[in-house]
Amino acid sequence: MDGAPHTGDSLAAEEALESLAAVVSRETDDREEVASALPQGDRDTPLARAVAADARKRIALTGRVFPKPPATRVLTVANQKGGVGKTTTTVNIAAGLAQAGLTVLVIDIDPQGNASTALGIDHHAEVPSIYDVLVEGTPLADVVQECPDIAGLWCAPATIDLAGAEIELVSLVARETRLQKAIAAYLEQRLTSDRPAPDYVLIDCPPSLGLLTVNAFVAAQEVFIPIQCEYYALEGLSQLLKNIELIRNHLNPTLHVSTILLTMYDGRTRLSAQVADEVRSHFPDQVLRNTVPRSVRISEAPSHGQTVMTYDPNSSGALSYLGAAAELADRGAASADHQTASAQN
């Protein structure tokens, strides 16, 4: 029987993880060296490999401060296909960035208000919300609330009123640019009052291409696409890219897909690997190295009014989102450095 070696390797990996906890607490500068010293695990022991991989991520990321972008990055998290992890990705990436020292604003324009729930933000019908900003012209600063669990994380909540906003926006002047103008005014207000503007603005969209999503596309410079590792996700991606191109041609020429994150990845199935390879081959520069696995902890967190980053920060799901947030921040800093070097030359 091959059960005993598996158990031994798993225990060895767990013991190695515990012994390294003290090293992490001393804020070691040799993260990569310590991470590489962890046992890799045998090819036939997936549990041991998973434990060691999580330990390496924890050592590399715990306590790390992410680089600030030179200017506020506004990203729309979008995918017309439902159930791919848009809201989950929005709130957990936002939480990861905030925990690493950055200031983040989440704008919830999905009438379901799930992002607001996950961030522990009150969003019943009487609460000032993004509906008031889009339809009534209320300043964004008047509806923003601070997340109770994570310093530096703010949210403009969605209420049930937003369900009727699609119809009400039709008759309004400049209906496609109302969110863009609200964000621009908010950032300007922060700068003129000597208060720091957020480093990141993440906009959580509904799974459709109505006026709410169009507003989000017009307001952002970048599109962040979570893709579920299943076949239908590829078909949805094709349609999404066509719609982004329409927005580029008619409303926002600066819009581009900067980031793609593979979610609900199951390394045990061939289908997940095939979808991942297909997406990476078509978008080699946009797809993040980190993938987000299927995780019960990620699913449980919203029911407690939390992100998985605070609900279970040591889980594989939390570490994957933290790794993805680190990649997002590092890419932004690297892009800024490249642009500065190009300008100097």
Side-chain angles (χ1 to χ4, degrees):
M1 299 293 289
D2 60 355
H6 291 203
T7 303
D9 282 349
S10 300
L11 290 174
E14 291 174 355
E15 290 169 359
L17 173 57
E18 292 174 1
S19 67
L20 284 165
V23 180
V24 177
S25 66
R26 291 197 299 270
E27 297 291 333
T28 177
D29 293 327
D30 301 321
R31 297 175 186 273
E32 297 299 330
E33 181 180 346
V34 175
S36 63
L38 278 167
Q40 297 293 327
D42 187 78
R43 187 172 298 177
D44 296 326
T45 57
L47 179 58
R49 287 205 313 273
V51 170
D54 284 351
R56 283 191 291 273
K57 285 183 182 179
R58 188 176 299 112
I59 293 165
L61 296 169
T62 299
R64 185 186 160 197
V65 177
F66 296 168
K68 288 179 175 288
T72 300
R73 294 178 67 184
V74 183
L75 298 93
T76 288
V77 184
N79 194 325
Q80 289 162 229
K81 185 179 184 302
V84 301
K86 286 187 301 299
T87 297
T88 301
T89 293
T90 301
V91 298
N92 285 298
I93 290 291
L97 292 168
Q99 286 180 336
L102 301 178
T103 305
V104 186
L105 170 63
V106 172
I107 298 179
D108 188 358
I109 63 166
D110 187 341
Q112 297 177 86
N114 291 335
S116 306
T117 299
L119 294 176
I121 301 295
D122 194 10
H123 62 106
H124 58 80
E126 290 76 26
V127 171
S129 71
I130 199 67
Y131 168 85
D132 301 289
V133 174
L134 293 174
V135 178
E136 305 294 341
T138 302
L140 186 57
D142 292 352
V143 308
V144 167
Q145 300 180 42
E146 187 170 13
C147 177
D149 298 321
I150 302 174
L153 180 55
W154 300 76
C155 177
T159 61
I160 192 62
D161 294 334
L162 201 58
E166 296 272 6
I167 298 172
E168 295 180 68
L169 283 170
V170 170
S171 60
L172 298 182
V173 175
R175 60 193 182 190
E176 298 93 351
T177 61
R178 297 179 75 86
L179 182 59
Q180 177 195 44
K181 292 176 179 177
I183 292 174
Y186 175 76
L187 298 179
E188 180 66 24
Q189 178 200 21
R190 301 285 293 188
L191 293 174
T192 55
S193 62
D194 292 329
R195 301 174 67 187
D199 299 302
Y200 285 83
V201 176
L202 300 179
I203 308 172
D204 183 38
C205 296
S208 63
L209 192 69
L211 276 172
L212 293 175
T213 303
V214 169
N215 263 270
F217 281 143
V218 174
Q221 298 100 35
E222 306 176 46
V223 181
F224 185 133
I225 306 177
I227 298 179
Q228 184 181 8
C229 290
E230 294 187 0
Y231 174 75
Y232 288 136
L234 297 178
E235 288 189 337
L237 177 61
S238 175
Q239 186 59 48
L240 176 61
L241 294 175
K242 291 178 183 177
N243 289 328
I244 291 172
E245 190 61 28
L246 284 174
I247 300 293
R248 280 174 53 88
N249 291 337
H250 298 285
L251 294 168
N252 183 4
T254 66
L255 187 68
H256 64 284
V257 176
S258 67
T259 310
I260 295 175
L261 176 64
L262 298 169
T263 65
M264 305 180 193
Y265 182 83
D266 188 345
R268 300 169 300 177
T269 66
R270 184 174 298 176
L271 177 60
S272 280
Q274 288 175 339
V275 171
D277 290 343
E278 187 76 15
V279 176
R280 291 185 193 280
S281 67
H282 283 87
F283 305 96
D285 298 327
Q286 288 85 4
V287 181
L288 299 178
R289 295 187 306 274
N290 284 273
T291 59
V292 178
R294 290 187 178 277
S295 167
V296 174
R297 300 310 243 175
I298 292 176
S299 302
E300 287 176 345
S303 66
H304 296 267
Q306 298 182 55
T307 67
V308 74
M309 311 301 290
T310 55
Y311 177 66
D312 189 354
N314 291 323
S315 66
S316 60
L319 292 170
S320 296
Y321 271 120
L322 186 58
E327 277 192 79
L328 180 67
D330 289 341
R331 288 185 177 192
S335 176
D337 291 342
H338 176 72
Q339 291 174 2
T340 301
S342 299
Q344 291 174 347
N345 294 333

